[in-house]
Amino acid sequence: MSTIDDIRGAIRDIPDFPKPGIVFKDITPLVGNGPLFRKTIDLLAERYEAASLDTVVGVESRGFIIGAALAYRLGKGLCVVRKPGKLPYDTLQATYELEYGTDTLEVHSDGLVAGARVLLVDDLVATGGTAAAAAVLVEQLGGTVLEHACIIELAFLKPREKLDQELFSLIQYDSE
C-alpha cells in the first residue's frame, strides 16, 4: 500500500455531521498516528520546500493543525484565520458560503507583512468558499496567495471553480 492509501485509510467518515446529509471527513485518526502524520506533512513540505514563500496561513480549525506542522517543517511563520470573536486584536472579516450555510472568518489586521507570499492551508477543501474567503483576507492584508494546500479535496463539489489560485490536495474524493 502507498502512503497516500495509508492516509486515505486513516480518514474516518462520520455520516450526518454536523448536519443531516453531510459526510464529515474526520482526520483525528490520521493526526493521532505519529508516523503517518509525519509522512503527511513531509509530502506537503516536499512540494513547498523550494517555493519562495514567507508565511503559512492556517484556516480554523483543523487547518491550524496542518498549517502549524507545515510551517514548522518549512521554517516559516504561521498566521491564523479564525471564526469571529476568537482573535483578541484588531481584525478584518470576510463572509463566505459553506456547503451547508454561511460563515465569517477573521484575521488580525497585522497578521501579515505587506507583500508576504503565503501558502493557505486547511485539512479539507469542500466548496472552496472558506479557502476563497481566506484568500480575500490575505489580499486585504497586502499579501499574495501562492497556492492553497490541503489533505482532502471534495472534488465533486468543484472547489477549484471558486479559487483564483491553484489548489494542491493529497487526496481527492470524486463522489460522496
Side-chain angles (χ1 to χ4, degrees):
M1 229 163 58
S2 73
T3 300
I4 295 296
D5 290 336
D6 292 341
I7 294 167
R8 186 183 296 269
I11 297 166
R12 174 171 46 205
D13 284 351
I14 308 291
D16 299 320
F17 184 83
K19 290 185 169 187
I22 302 293
V23 178
F24 184 81
K25 300 293 185 189
D26 181 13
I27 65 162
T28 58
L30 170 62
V31 299
N33 178 327
L36 189 54
F37 182 45
R38 176 183 284 174
K39 287 179 186 177
T40 302
I41 297 303
D42 287 347
L43 282 173
L44 290 169
E46 285 173 14
R47 181 171 177 89
Y48 301 105
E49 283 173 332
S52 177
L53 69 98
D54 302 304
T55 307
V56 173
V57 174
V59 181
E60 173 117 3
S61 65
R62 290 166 304 278
F64 298 165
I65 298 166
I66 308 308
L70 186 56
Y72 173 81
R73 173 73 166 64
L74 295 172
K76 305 298 178 187
L78 177 71
C79 172
V80 295
V81 172
R82 301 214 58 190
K83 293 187 179 179
K86 301 291 185 182
L87 293 172
Y89 186 64
D90 247 3
T91 60
L92 301 176
Q93 287 190 341
T95 298
Y96 63 101
E97 292 185 26
L98 296 163
E99 62 272 27
Y100 48 84
T102 62
D103 212 341
T104 300
L105 293 176
E106 293 185 338
V107 67
H108 276 146
S109 59
D110 64 352
L112 294 173
V113 174
R117 297 167 50 85
V118 308
L119 174 64
L120 256 167
V121 178
D122 209 344
D123 69 317
L124 178 144
V125 175
T127 65
T130 303
V136 166
L137 290 173
V138 167
E139 291 165 4
Q140 287 177 359
L141 291 172
T144 301
V145 176
L146 298 179
E147 194 165 85
H148 297 266
C150 63
I151 296 171
I152 303 163
E153 175 187 353
L154 301 184
F156 64 93
L157 294 175
K158 303 185 185 323
R160 294 170 189 262
E161 292 177 3
K162 285 193 180 166
L163 301 177
D164 292 333
Q165 304 84 13
E166 182 65 30
L167 169 62
F168 174 73
S169 55
L170 294 177
I171 297 170
Q172 301 80 37
Y173 289 93
D174 294 321
S175 63
E176 287 185 57

